[in-house]
Amino acid sequence: MSKHEDFYKILGIPKTASEDEIKKAYKKLALKHHPDKGGDPEKFKEVNAANEVLSDPDKRKTYDKYGLEGLKGQ
């Protein structure tokens, strides 16, 4: 995954997305890209990473403020 990945773009949601919007976008993309369903394993990893950060309010706040570098410092 690139250092400049935008988790919001990966999930196809705006930065103002609610928790429900994040959950729906994640589920849709996880099903589409799941390796057991013939999807791309790398894309599936990106979707999971984006969901892991954006679905956690503390991680999301840190990501919004400092980006990926801020998350590495946690």
Side-chain angles (χ1 to χ4, degrees):
M1 187 177 329
S2 152
K3 288 182 180 180
H4 302 292
E5 288 290 351
D6 183 342
F7 289 151
Y8 293 100
K9 283 184 184 176
I10 290 171
L11 293 182
I13 55 174
K15 288 189 177 193
T16 57
S18 68
E19 287 183 36
D20 283 341
E21 289 172 310
I22 293 168
K23 190 182 296 185
K24 285 178 189 176
Y26 167 71
K27 285 183 178 182
K28 179 180 173 186
L29 291 170
L31 282 173
K32 179 180 178 182
H33 296 292
H34 197 285
D36 291 348
K37 305 280 186 189
D40 179 2
E42 289 304 310
K43 184 68 177 172
F44 184 69
K45 287 178 187 176
E46 289 179 0
V47 169
N48 276 329
N51 181 62
E52 184 181 323
V53 171
L54 298 181
S55 64
D56 180 313
D58 292 331
K59 287 182 182 179
R60 183 177 180 183
K61 192 181 296 185
T62 301
Y63 174 74
D64 286 346
K65 193 168 185 177
Y66 303 108
L68 284 175
E69 293 302 316
L71 291 172
K72 290 178 185 174
Q74 272 191 334

